[in-house]
C-alpha cells in the first residue's frame, strides 16, 4: 500500500488471455511485480488459436515453460480444398510460400507446436503464479488515471461489486481488438479494415479416420456452401461459415453434416461464436506509461503463418525486458520508446504479408499487393529491428530474411548454434535472457566487459567462444555472427543483436562502453533504483 491507501505494483496488465498471460510470465521471470486483471473468469470455450511458432516456443522455453509435444508432429499442417471431408479432394495447398518446411525448426533448438489456446492458457497461468504474478480473474477495469510518476487504476470485482484502486508504474493493455484502453487514449488504427463476419460451430465427432493422410484443414466447396473445417486434434472440430447466419441446434448439425459429407456420424455441439475478421494496426503502440500489446495493438485475421497470437506474444517478450531494465534502474526510460519503434513495423509487415498471400488476396482493394511474399521463417525468425536500442542497422537492409541469409547484423535475432561446454551440449540461445551478453573468440574482450561494468554498472556477461564454449561445428560462430577472430557481438536480453564490431577496434573497452551508454544504459545502472510508486 502507498500513503494514499492504494495497493501498489510495478506493472498492471489489463487482459488475462494469451498475450496478457505471456506478458505476466515474461515480466515475473524478470523479477518484476505484476498484477493481471481480466473481466472473464477463465479461458473461452472456443479453443481459438492453435498454431504456435518456433519463436513463441523459444520465448516459453526461456522462461521454463515446456509446451506439450504436438500430436501433428514437427511438420506444418496440411490444407486441402475439398467437396467435403469425406468427398473428393480438389487441391492441396502448400502451408508456407515456397513450401519451405516447419517454421525454421532447423534454425532453433525447438520447433513450432499445435496446441489449442484453451490448453495453453492454463499452463501460462500456472507458470505466472509460480513466478509470483498476481492473477485476478473476474476483475474489470473501470478507469485509468496517469501522472508523471505512475498510473492509478480503478478496479471492480464482478463477484461482489467491490471497487478499489491499484497504483502501478506502467500498464500493459492486452485487452483485445476492441481495446477500451486504446479507445480511451484516442489512438487510431490503419490497415485494410473490416473484412467479414464469420460464424463458428465448435463440435465433437469421431472423424480421426479422415486425418490419416496428414491433411487437417479443409476448405469446403459445394455449389451453395463455402466453409472452412479444421480439427484441434483432440476430438474437437470447428466449422467456420462466412454467411453470418444465426442457426438453431438442428440447423447447426445439418450444416456440419454437409461439410463432413456423412449423416451417420454422431455430432456433439459444444458452442458457437461470431467473429469479426479485420486487419487494423494501431497508429502508435504506447501512450505515456501505457503500452498496447496483442490484438489491442494489431488485429490480424487468422492465417497459415499464425501471425495473430504469435505477434502478440512477441510484443510481450520485447516489452518485458525493457520494462524490467527501466524498473530496476538498469536502463533509462527512453528505452521504452523503442517498443513502438520495433514492434509497430513488424505488425505492419505482417499485415502486408497477409494480403500478399492467397488467403486474403481477394480482399485487396488494388489489383495486386506491392509487398513481396516472404517465407514464414523469414517473418518469424528473420525480422529486423531498427530503433535506438540497435546500433548499426543498415537502412538498406530488408525488413526480413530467412535466418541463414543474415550474418549477425545488428537488429537481427542472434543465430542459434549448437555448442558444447564440458560434457553439456546446448544452444547459443540459452545464453540470453536477463543480462546483456558479449560474445567473442578474443579473450581481450573479457577486460573490456569488466571495464564497462565498472564504468556503467551494467550487467554484461562475457562468453569466450572457443574456450568457455565451442560450436559443435568448427568455424560456424564467425560465419553465423559475421565477425572475425577479434570481433565481438553484443546481445540484448531478448536475444537480438544490439551492436557488433567485425574486427578488433583500437579501444575495445571504450567502444563497448560507448555502445552500451548509447543503448540507454545509464552510468551507475547497477546501483540505480526506480522511484517507488507514490
Amino acid at each position: 500500500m502507498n500513503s494514499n491507501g492504494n495497493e501498489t505494483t510495478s506493472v498492471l496488465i489489463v487482459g488475462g488471455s494469451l498475450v496478457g498471460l505471456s506478458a505476466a510470465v515474461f515480466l515475473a521471470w524478470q523479477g518484476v511485480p505484476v498484477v493481471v486483471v481480466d473481466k472473464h473468469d477463465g479461458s473461452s470455450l472456443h479453443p481459438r488459436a492453435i498454431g504456435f511458432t518456433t519463436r513463441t516456443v523459444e520465448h516459453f522455453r526461456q522462461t521454463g515453460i515446456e509446451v506439450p509435444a504436438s500430436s501433428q508432429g514437427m511438420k506444418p499442417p496440411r490444407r486441402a480444398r475439398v467437396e467435403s471431408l469425406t468427398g473428393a479432394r480438389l487441391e492441396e495447398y502448400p502451408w508456407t510460400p515456397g513450401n519451405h518446411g516447419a517454421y525454421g525448426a532447423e534454425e532453433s533448438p525447438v520447433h513450432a507446436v499445435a496446441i489449442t489456446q484453451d490448453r495453453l492458457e492454463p499452463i501460462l497461468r500456472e507458470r505466472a503464479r509460480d513466478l509470483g504474478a498476481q492473477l485476478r480473474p473476474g476483475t474489470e477495469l473501470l478507469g485509468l488515471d496517469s501522472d508523471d510518476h505512475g498510473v492509478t487504476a480503478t478496479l471492480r470485482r464482478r463477484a461482489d461489486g467491490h471497487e478499489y484502486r491499484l497504483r502501478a508504474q506502467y500498464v500493459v493493455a492486452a485487452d483485445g481488438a476492441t481495446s477500451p484502453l486504446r479507445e480511451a487514449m484516442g489512438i487510431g488504427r490503419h490497415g485494410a479494415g473490416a473484412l467479414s463476419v464469420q460464424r463458428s460451430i465448435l463440435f465433437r465427432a469421431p472423424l480421426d479416420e479422415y486425418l490419416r493422410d496428414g491433411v487437417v484443414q479443409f476448405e469446403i466447396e459445394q455449389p451453395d456452401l463455402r466453409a472452412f473445417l479444421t480439427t484441434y486434434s483432440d476430438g474437437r472440430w470447428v466449422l467456420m461459415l462466412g454467411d453470418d447466419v444465426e442457426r438453431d441446434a438442428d440447423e447447426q448439425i445439418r450444416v456440419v453434416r454437409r461439410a463432413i459429407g456423412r449423416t451417420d456420424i454422431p455430432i456433439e455441439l459444444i458452442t458457437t461464436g461470431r467473429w469479426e475478421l479485420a486487419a487494423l494496426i494501431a497508429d502508435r503502440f504506447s501512450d505515456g506509461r501505457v503500452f498496447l500489446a496483442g490484438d489491442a495493438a494489431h488485429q490480424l485475421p487468422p492465417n497459415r503463418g499464425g501471425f495473430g497470437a504469435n505477434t502478440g506474444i512477441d510484443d510481450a517478450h520485447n516489452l518485458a525486458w525493457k520494462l524490467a531494465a527501466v524498473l530496476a534502474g538498469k536502463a533509462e526510460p527512453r528505452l521504452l520508446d523503442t517498443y513502438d519503434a520495433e514492434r509497430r513495423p513488424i505488425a505492419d509487415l505482417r499485415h502486408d504479408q497477409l494480403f500478399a498471400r492467397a488467403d486474403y488476396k481477394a480482399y485487396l482493394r488494388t489489383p495486386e499487393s506491392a509487398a513481396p511474399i516472404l517465407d514464414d521463417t523469414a517473418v518469424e525468425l528473420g525480422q529486423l529491428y531498427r530503433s535506438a536500442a540497435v546500433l548499426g542497422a543498415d537502412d538498406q537492409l530488408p525488413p526480413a530474411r530467412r535466418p541463414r541469409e543474415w550474418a549477425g547484423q545488428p537488429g537481427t535475432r542472434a543465430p542459434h548454434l549448437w555448442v558444447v561446454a564440458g560434457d553439456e551440449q546446448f544452444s547459443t540461445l540459452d545464453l540470453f535472457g536477463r543480462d546483456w551478453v558479449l560474445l567473442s573468440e578474443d579473450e581481450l574482450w573479457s577486460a573490456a566487459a569488466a571495464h564497462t561494468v565498472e564504468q556503467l554498472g551494467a550487467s554484461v556477461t562475457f562468453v569466450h567462444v572457443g574456450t568457455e564454449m565451442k560450436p559443435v561445428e568448427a568455424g560456424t560462430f564467425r560465419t553465423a555472427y559475421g565477425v572475425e577472430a577479434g570481433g565481438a557481438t553484443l546481445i540484448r536480453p531478448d536475444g537480438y543483436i544490439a551492436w557488433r564490431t567485425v574486427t578488433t577496434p583500437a579501444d575495445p573497452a571504450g567502444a563497448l562502453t560507448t555502445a552500451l551508454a548509447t543503448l540507454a544504459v545509464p552510468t551507475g545502472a547497477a546501483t540505480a533504483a526506480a522511484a517507488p510508486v507514490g
Side-chain angles (χ1 to χ4, degrees):
M1 295 264 183
N2 63 9
S3 58
N4 295 322
N6 298 327
E7 286 189 65
T8 63
T9 189
S10 292
V11 178
L12 170 65
I13 299 172
V14 181
S17 190
L18 194 60
V19 173
L21 290 172
S22 297
V25 169
F26 301 151
L27 284 162
W29 184 78
Q30 294 276 2
V32 175
V34 59
V35 172
V36 183
V37 297
D38 190 282
K39 64 183 178 181
H40 302 106
D41 291 321
S43 297
S44 167
L45 284 175
H46 249 290
R48 297 194 287 181
I50 183 172
F52 296 93
T53 61
T54 300
R55 186 59 177 157
T56 291
V57 179
E58 287 179 357
H59 295 332
F60 291 154
R61 177 176 180 265
Q62 181 189 64
T63 53
I65 294 173
E66 184 176 348
V67 182
S70 170
S71 60
Q72 296 180 5
M74 292 178 59
K75 294 182 179 180
R78 291 165 55 194
R79 176 185 290 201
R81 187 166 60 91
V82 301
E83 289 182 354
S84 66
L85 177 64
T86 61
R89 298 283 174 93
L90 306 176
E91 180 183 9
E92 183 174 339
Y93 302 117
W95 181 259
T96 64
N99 205 20
H100 286 303
Y103 292 113
E106 68 281 3
E107 312 286 355
S108 176
V110 299
H111 56 81
V113 296
I115 179 175
T116 59
Q117 183 171 336
D118 65 334
R119 299 282 193 261
L120 178 58
E121 286 182 354
I123 296 172
L124 296 176
R125 286 191 193 97
E126 181 179 3
R127 184 58 177 153
R129 288 192 179 102
D130 287 346
L131 291 168
Q134 295 185 46
L135 308 186
R136 301 182 185 181
T139 301
E140 59 185 330
L141 176 72
L142 300 180
L144 203 65
D145 295 315
S146 298
D147 55 50
D148 291 340
H149 304 291
V151 181
T152 301
T154 302
L155 304 169
R156 178 170 61 200
R157 287 199 304 257
R158 302 185 79 178
D160 59 10
H162 173 67
E163 294 185 12
Y164 62 99
R165 289 195 175 111
L166 184 144
R167 182 78 170 159
Q169 287 187 287
Y170 296 99
V171 173
V172 178
D175 52 344
T178 59
S179 180
L181 278 174
R182 186 192 62 235
E183 295 300 309
M185 292 184 292
I187 298 176
R189 294 192 289 175
H190 60 274
L195 305 178
S196 68
V197 175
Q198 299 281 320
R199 295 278 183 162
S200 61
I201 302 172
L202 183 68
F203 65 94
R204 196 180 303 277
L207 298 169
D208 286 356
E209 64 181 287
Y210 300 106
L211 301 174
R212 290 172 184 163
D213 64 355
V215 177
V216 296
Q217 298 185 347
F218 305 87
E219 294 181 8
I220 309 297
E221 288 195 10
Q222 298 175 18
D224 55 350
L225 177 64
R226 293 287 189 273
F228 178 73
L229 177 68
T230 190
T231 177
Y232 289 110
S233 299
D234 59 4
R236 294 179 297 174
W237 294 69
V238 67
L239 182 67
M240 302 293 297
L241 301 152
D243 54 14
D244 194 19
V245 173
E246 183 78 33
R247 293 175 171 86
D248 62 26
D250 289 339
E251 292 169 327
Q252 291 171 38
I253 289 175
R254 282 198 293 272
V255 74
V256 166
R257 285 177 170 165
R258 283 189 61 190
I260 294 172
R262 286 178 58 177
T263 59
D264 59 339
I265 297 287
I267 306 296
E268 176 194 347
L269 298 177
I270 300 174
T271 190
T272 60
R274 185 177 185 271
W275 314 85
E276 294 185 3
L277 293 189
L280 289 163
I281 312 299
D283 294 337
R284 63 184 190 277
F285 280 15
S286 64
D287 187 271
R289 292 175 174 266
V290 182
F291 299 87
L292 305 180
D295 285 354
H298 41 73
Q299 186 177 0
L300 298 171
N303 75 300
R304 277 175 273 183
F307 292 165
N310 292 287
T311 306
I313 293 168
D314 215 13
D315 292 341
H317 192 261
N318 180 283
L319 181 59
W321 78 269
K322 296 173 180 177
L323 284 170
V326 171
L327 286 163
K330 294 181 178 180
E332 297 173 4
R334 61 186 171 92
L335 178 65
L336 299 175
D337 295 338
T338 67
Y339 173 65
D340 176 82
E342 292 181 353
R343 294 306 301 166
R344 188 156 47 88
I346 298 301
D348 284 329
L349 172 70
R350 296 183 181 191
H351 171 281
D352 294 345
Q353 282 298 300
L354 284 169
F355 295 96
R357 303 174 182 213
D359 289 358
Y360 291 99
K361 189 176 288 186
Y363 291 100
L364 281 173
R365 296 185 176 90
T366 57
E368 291 291 336
S369 169
I373 298 177
L374 299 174
D375 182 84
D376 282 340
T377 303
V379 175
E380 278 296 324
L381 299 179
Q383 62 193 19
L384 176 72
Y385 285 156
R386 290 188 176 92
S387 77
V390 174
L391 303 180
D394 192 329
D395 289 341
Q396 302 305 311
L397 293 175
R401 279 179 177 162
R402 288 178 60 80
R404 293 192 182 184
E405 295 172 352
W406 292 119
Q409 287 90 343
T412 63
R413 166 183 164 273
H416 153 68
L417 296 175
W418 288 115
V419 295
V420 292
D423 296 330
E424 183 184 4
Q425 178 172 302
F426 55 94
S427 169
T428 47
L429 304 191
D430 296 325
L431 300 169
F432 317 131
R434 292 187 175 93
D435 296 329
W436 298 83
V437 175
L438 185 69
L439 302 178
S440 178
E441 292 183 343
D442 195 328
E443 175 64 23
L444 70 81
W445 285 99
S446 176
H451 172 82
T452 299
V453 170
E454 181 181 353
Q455 291 296 306
L456 300 180
S459 299
V460 181
T461 300
F462 172 67
V463 178
H464 189 193
V465 180
T467 300
E468 295 179 60
M469 69 173 197
K470 297 180 180 180
V472 171
E473 297 181 32
T476 53
F477 172 71
R478 294 187 196 179
T479 301
Y481 282 79
V483 294
E484 298 180 11
T489 300
L490 182 65
I491 315 299
R492 307 185 328 185
D494 64 344
Y496 271 77
I497 296 171
W499 169 82
R500 76 171 175 183
T501 175
V502 175
T503 58
T504 309
D507 179 9
L512 178 60
T513 302
T514 298
L516 265 173
T518 305
L519 292 164
V521 176
T523 301
T527 58
V533 178

